[in-house]
Amino acid sequence: MTSAPPDQPAPGSVPGPEPLPALRDVPRSDRPGLLAALAEDLAAAEYRVDAVAGLLGPEAHAALSRDQIVPALVATRRAGEDPARRHLTAVVRFFLLARPASREELDVALPTLGAEGLVALGLAEAHDDGRLAATLDLRPYAWDGPEGQVEMWVASDLAAHQRPGVLRADHVLGIGHASATLVQTTARRPVARALDLGTGCGIQAFHLLAHAHHVVATDVSDRALAFARFNVLLNAQVLGVDPDQPERRIELRHGSLLEPVQGERFDLVVSNPPFVITPRSAEESAEDRFTYRDGGLPGDRLVADLVAGLGDVLAEGGTAQLLGNWEIPDGAPWHERVRTWVPPGVDAWVLQREQLGPGQYAETWLADASQQRDPDAYEEAYAAYLDDFASRGTAAIGFGAVWLRRPGPGQARLDRFEELTHPLEQPIGPHWSAAIDRADWLAAHPDLGPERLVVAEDVTEERHQRPGAEHPGVILLRQGAGFRRTSLMSTELAGFVSACDGELTAGQIASALAALLERDDDAFRPGLLAEAANLVADGFLVPA
């Protein structure tokens, strides 16, 4: 049996101004030698996203993404017979599939750390039969960074498909659908200071470290901060963090919403807050709430308060992006209440991606925590959701992304609320960033007349007409990338777009169309250029 390497806690190994409190049931990050051994063994086992996908095969890998582990169990049983893949198979079964393993198997699969090292780091515990079981999910994660692919490992609590029973209230979520959505949605740019509000296991902070000089990550959960700290130090090298002085790049702070950063300013804020609307009761305590999703406030007040307060922590030109739910009253436009949350002097662009009825919403979040496994409690909780929404006249619940900015000199003032429920190109963040740049360009060029425009490369034109008709009845412009919008065109606007090849100015094209159609130039031109400006804003036309 391989023994754990000797180790001593390293001074300054805790990201943040003060050490976090001692906690049970969290991975230890005060053993730098053991962390280094773990990283060495995981790398040697080729525990990477593409290698795991190759080991499992397309069908089992796709099933695992749906939290179905049986195909992966079958695939790893077969793969375990191949000596060349035995180490990777053992690691996948232990950490991803949560299957117990003997100490001898783990000593072979992780020879530097060994089984005793796993226990010492709090990553494994003994079963009655002497085998070890993983205490957490530890999985490979990768993304395309500014200088190439970034590969790391991310620890979180075991999910419902990996362990029996209802999730613990202080469950630390892994890389879920919402966190991946925020990663893809964020409009990234180099910044001096960034804030990850509600960091959880740290996924947003890891991405911020790729383009921010310094990151502050906050959470109301001490357990979440402990997982984030472990993940930062396990992946210190790839994240560009000095494990002896991590606070130079990243600080972890405990506290609710904006409390930990009052009086500070940031160039970029991202947040996947606990936005789930949950019925409140007089008997509940903080320990009864699923902290990863429930902020403890009634209705959608948490998101409302966050949107209203974010302007106070944004530097001039600073932006914030967050996910959220909002209640839609019966008979009201979906954005009516959301618009009232935006404080004066702050730009807003809110994108609603879906709406659910109260029943669908209740089912979604009760299943999320596996609460259906207790039938009596499920019935009671479902009814509480319906009563809670009915008490406020809520007809539907919207989900989407919010972009905010404290504008600087020369930047556009944005007040945009739109619903796009069709699939968008992912990541959408770069396209959102380009759209903001176009808005600023339009603000700096209020008269399009002298400007030259071209049709964006992803745009196609579609015409529909009845058989035998002389002219098309419908002309559409479609985007093949980004937001993938469709724009209904007038004949005049279609003619303008067809002439936008960068040779003539927008004003010259408009005047030529006015003459061709025998219209008064002074009356025709302003309206057509205003429509053209809308096409620039949406990305159908771009400056030449």
Side-chain angles (χ1 to χ4, degrees), residues 45-58 60-61 64 72 75-76 85 88-89 91-93 96-97 138-141 153:
E46 298 189 352
Y47 193 42
R48 305 186 314 271
V49 171
D50 57 350
V52 171
L55 178 78
L56 299 180
H61 190 252
L64 190 60
T76 52
R85 299 194 290 178
L88 178 59
T89 300
V91 173
V92 167
R93 288 181 65 86
L96 278 187
L97 308 183
L138 181 64
R139 64 182 54 215
Y141 178 65
W153 303 284

Side-chain angles (χ1 to χ4, degrees), residues 305-481:
D305 289 352
L306 186 54
V307 170
L310 275 169
D312 294 336
V313 301
L314 290 179
E316 186 176 85
T319 58
Q321 289 189 258
L322 64 145
L323 304 180
N325 277 155
W326 38 82
E327 295 183 319
I328 305 171
D330 191 14
W334 73 264
H335 60 275
E336 187 174 84
R337 291 181 61 255
V338 181
R339 179 176 263 123
T340 67
W341 300 346
V342 182
V346 173
D347 294 336
W349 184 346
V350 181
L351 186 65
Q352 177 164 282
R353 296 291 288 134
E354 67 175 349
Q355 281 190 33
L356 294 178
Q360 290 175 288
Y361 192 85
E363 293 162 16
T364 296
W365 292 109
L366 290 171
D368 176 76
S370 300
Q371 289 172 273
Q372 75 276 16
R373 295 179 179 180
D374 184 339
D376 293 336
Y378 179 81
E379 181 178 339
E380 181 180 352
Y382 199 136
Y385 268 102
L386 298 182
D387 291 342
D388 184 55
F389 286 128
S391 71
R392 293 185 295 276
T394 300
I397 302 90
F399 168 80
V402 178
W403 175 91
L404 303 171
R405 179 171 71 179
R406 180 169 292 285
Q411 291 183 317
R413 294 308 315 271
L414 287 168
D415 178 43
R416 184 166 185 169
F417 295 79
E418 61 180 327
E419 183 175 35
L420 296 177
T421 58
H422 58 262
L424 309 181
E425 182 182 9
Q426 298 297 348
I428 194 63
H431 299 283
W432 206 325
S433 180
I436 302 302
D437 291 342
R438 290 194 303 272
D440 290 340
W441 184 86
L442 285 168
H445 300 82
D447 179 11
L448 278 187
E451 308 304 326
R452 287 175 166 79
L453 304 173
V454 295
V455 180
E457 291 185 359
D458 65 307
V459 171
T460 56
E461 183 182 88
E462 193 174 298
R463 294 178 179 240
H464 299 266
Q465 63 189 77
R466 292 186 60 79
E470 184 177 356
H471 301 291
V474 176
I475 305 175
L476 301 174
L477 284 188
R478 294 191 185 277
Q479 288 177 325

Side-chain angles (χ1 to χ4, degrees), residues 33-312:
L34 295 184
L35 286 172
L38 174 61
E40 180 182 339
D41 285 342
L42 294 177
E46 298 189 352
Y47 193 42
R48 305 186 314 271
V49 171
D50 57 350
V52 171
L55 178 78
L56 299 180
E59 184 175 354
H61 190 252
L64 190 60
S65 69
R66 303 189 303 270
D67 296 340
Q68 299 294 328
I69 67 172
V70 173
L73 288 171
V74 173
T76 52
R77 288 193 197 107
R78 296 169 180 164
E81 299 172 0
D82 180 356
R85 299 194 290 178
R86 188 169 299 162
H87 290 191
L88 178 59
T89 300
V91 173
V92 167
R93 288 181 65 86
F94 188 73
F95 282 124
L96 278 187
L97 308 183
R99 286 303 183 261
S102 69
R103 293 174 182 268
E104 291 74 19
E105 288 176 299
L106 293 171
D107 283 338
V108 171
L110 304 168
T112 310
L113 180 68
E116 293 305 315
L118 283 173
V119 174
L121 284 175
L123 310 184
E125 61 185 2
H127 263 203
D128 291 339
D129 61 5
R131 293 185 299 167
L132 294 183
T135 59
L136 49 72
D137 178 296
L138 181 64
R139 64 182 54 215
Y141 178 65
W143 78 89
D144 291 327
E147 299 179 0
Q149 190 173 60
V150 179
E151 294 184 310
M152 57 182 296
W153 303 284
V154 178
S156 61
D157 272 326
L158 293 168
H161 66 285
Q162 297 167 312
R163 56 175 297 280
V166 176
L167 297 183
R168 57 187 297 164
D170 56 359
H171 176 80
V172 176
L173 192 65
I175 306 168
H177 175 72
S179 58
T181 297
L182 183 58
V183 165
Q184 295 172 324
T185 301
T186 301
R188 302 191 183 278
R189 55 195 172 89
V191 296
R193 300 194 76 216
L195 169 64
D196 174 14
L197 192 153
T199 191
C201 69
I203 185 64
Q204 306 304 326
F206 307 149
H207 282 268
L208 290 174
L209 284 167
H211 59 99
H213 180 72
H214 188 268
V215 175
V216 174
T218 70
D219 207 289
V220 72
S221 166
D222 285 324
R223 290 193 76 247
L225 292 173
F227 272 88
R229 176 178 59 185
F230 175 85
N231 288 330
V232 166
L233 295 180
L234 176 62
N235 300 282
Q237 182 176 0
V238 71
L239 293 175
V241 171
D242 181 351
D244 294 325
Q245 295 180 306
E247 65 279 358
R248 290 185 174 182
R249 293 291 323 280
I250 182 169
E251 294 179 56
L252 301 181
R253 301 184 191 175
H254 178 269
S256 177
L257 297 180
L258 296 169
E259 291 175 0
V261 293
Q262 285 185 353
E264 299 182 50
R265 295 291 182 270
F266 296 89
D267 305 297
L268 175 62
V269 179
V270 298
S271 181
N272 179 20
F275 57 73
V276 177
I277 299 169
T278 306
R280 306 265 69 93
S281 69
E283 298 80 20
E284 74 177 16
S285 65
E287 290 72 25
D288 297 324
R289 303 175 193 137
F290 293 106
T291 54
Y292 73 93
R293 71 182 204 191
D294 180 4
L297 297 178
D300 53 17
R301 184 179 154 191
L302 184 138
V303 177
D305 289 352
L306 186 54
V307 170
L310 275 169
D312 294 336

